[in-house]
Amino acid sequence: MTDVSGKTYWLIGASEGLGRALARRLSDEGAHLILSARNAERLHSLSAELADARVVALDVTDTAAVRRAAADIDELHGVIYNVGAYEPMRATEWDSDTALTMADINFTGALRVLGEVVPRFVRQGRGDITLVGSLAGYRGLPAAIGYGASKAALVSLAETMRFDLKDTGVVVRLVNPGFIKTRLTQKNSFRMPMLMTPEDAAQRVLRAMKRRRFRTDFPAPFSWLIRCVDLLPDLLVYRGK
Ligand SMILES: NC(=O)c1ccc[n+]([C@@H]2O[C@H](COP(=O)([O-])OP(=O)(O)OC[C@H]3O[C@@H](n4cnc5c(N)ncnc54)[C@H](OP(=O)(O)O)[C@@H]3O)[C@@H](O)[C@H]2O)c1
C-alpha cells in the first residue's frame, strides 16, 4: 500500500467535479497539493478549505504555461492528470474546432505535462503518475467524436509508459471511471448506468492510488460489460447498425 500522507501531488483538473472531490480526499489523508486548472477563483476557494494546498492556475493547451508551472515546483512525488473536456458529437454533426479542443485538452495536454514530469521522475528514480482516462476509451462508442479517441489515446499512452518505466522507480497507473455526476455528464440526454457521485468516484481513485496495480476500471459490473464488448467480434457489435 502506498501512503499518500506527507507527499506532494500535482493535481491537474482540480477545480471541478472528480478533481475537486479528489483534492479533498487527498488532503484528508495528509497529502500536500498543487492544484491546477484554468479557473483560478474556483481553485482558490478549494485551497482555502484544505490543510496544505497551493494554486497554480494554467491551461494545459498552453505549452509555455505547463513548462513554467512544472519548473516552479520544487519537490514532487506524484502527478494526477484528471483534466477532461467533453462535448457529445456524432460524426454526422462534426464540429472540427470542438473535436480538436477535446483532443488537445484530454490527450495532448497530458503529453505536455508528462513531457515535463517523466524525465524528472526518471532522474530522481521515483515518481507516481495517475492518468484519469475513461471506460469510453476502450471502444469507439456513438456520439463521442473527439472524446472517445482522445481517451483511447490516453489508455494507449499509459500502457506504453507502463512497459517503458518498469524498473525506473516510476509508478504509472490508469484509472478509467464510468459515469460520474459532474458538469460533463449534464450534457448527456441518455440514461447513464451506475452513475456515481464525484465523492464516490474520488474515493475509488484514492484507493487505486494507494495500490500499485496498473489499471483500475470502475464501477463493476458496468466496467466488466464494457471490457466484454471490447472482446466481441465486429460481426456481433455492428450487427444491424
Ligand atoms: N464525468 C464522467 O462521467 C466521467 C467519466 C469518465 C471519465 N471522466 C474523466 O474524469 C476527469 C474529470 O472529469 P469531471 O467529470 O470531473 O469533469 P469536470 O467537472 O468538467 O472537471 C474537469 C476538470 O478539468 C479542468 N480542465 C478542463 N479543461 C482544462 C484546460 N484546458 N486546462 C486545465 N484544466 C482544464 C477543469 O477545470 P477548468 O474548467 O477550471 O479549467 C476541471 O477542473 C476527466 O478526465 C474526465 O474525462 C469523467
Side-chain angles (χ1 to χ4, degrees):
M1 287 283 272
T2 307
D3 189 3
V4 301
S5 173
K7 300 206 173 115
T8 302
Y9 290 90
W10 187 12
L11 173 54
I12 312 170
S15 62
E16 301 293 336
L18 171 60
R20 203 172 177 90
L22 182 60
R24 291 186 177 119
R25 292 299 298 115
L26 281 164
S27 180
D28 288 347
E29 298 267 330
H32 311 298
L33 295 173
I34 298 154
L35 307 172
S36 289
R38 290 165 301 185
N39 190 328
E41 205 178 306
R42 293 285 291 154
L43 292 174
H44 280 293
S45 77
L46 174 64
S47 80
E49 293 174 25
L50 308 179
D52 185 355
R54 179 157 76 86
V55 169
V56 180
L58 59 77
D59 186 330
V60 295
T61 66
D62 179 343
T63 306
V66 170
R67 285 200 179 131
R68 260 195 321 273
D72 274 355
I73 298 171
D74 290 333
E75 196 179 32
L76 189 61
H77 297 94
V79 66
I80 305 149
Y81 194 82
N82 173 66
V83 174
Y86 167 64
E87 292 295 335
M89 195 200 306
R90 290 190 180 275
T92 49
E93 293 148 8
W94 201 297
D95 175 337
S96 186
D97 287 346
T98 305
L100 288 170
T101 300
M102 279 188 272
D104 202 8
I105 292 175
N106 297 350
F107 176 62
T108 317
L111 288 183
R112 288 188 187 93
V113 168
L114 294 168
E116 302 307 308
V117 164
V118 172
R120 171 181 180 156
F121 281 172
V122 170
R123 266 196 313 275
Q124 66 191 28
R126 65 161 171 79
D128 190 279
I129 299 168
T130 301
L131 300 180
V132 178
S134 168
L135 295 179
Y138 282 127
R139 176 105 213 171
L141 298 170
I145 291 295
Y147 186 76
S150 59
K151 288 297 183 177
L154 200 66
V155 170
S156 171
L157 179 71
E159 288 169 351
T160 297
M161 287 166 63
R162 171 68 184 79
F163 278 120
D164 293 352
L165 294 173
K166 187 174 173 290
D167 303 327
T168 63
V170 183
V171 174
V172 181
R173 85 175 57 69
L174 172 65
V175 178
N176 292 314
F179 295 111
I180 312 165
K181 197 171 185 333
T182 65
R183 64 181 184 176
L184 287 196
T185 43
Q186 274 173 8
K187 297 168 187 171
N188 287 341
S189 50
F190 55 87
R191 195 183 69 80
M192 291 174 274
M194 299 193 72
L195 184 67
M196 295 169 280
T197 63
E199 291 71 27
D200 179 15
Q203 182 58 33
R204 290 163 187 263
V205 175
L206 178 66
R207 223 180 293 140
M209 286 179 66
K210 290 182 174 180
R211 298 202 191 107
R212 289 188 70 91
R213 188 165 71 196
F214 167 62
R215 187 189 309 263
T216 303
D217 300 327
F218 64 86
F222 182 58
S223 55
W224 301 340
L225 179 75
I226 296 282
R227 297 306 303 270
C228 283
V229 172
D230 200 27
L231 300 174
L232 291 176
D234 281 353
L235 204 63
L236 280 180
V237 176
Y238 300 120
R239 198 176 45 173
K241 305 239 169 14

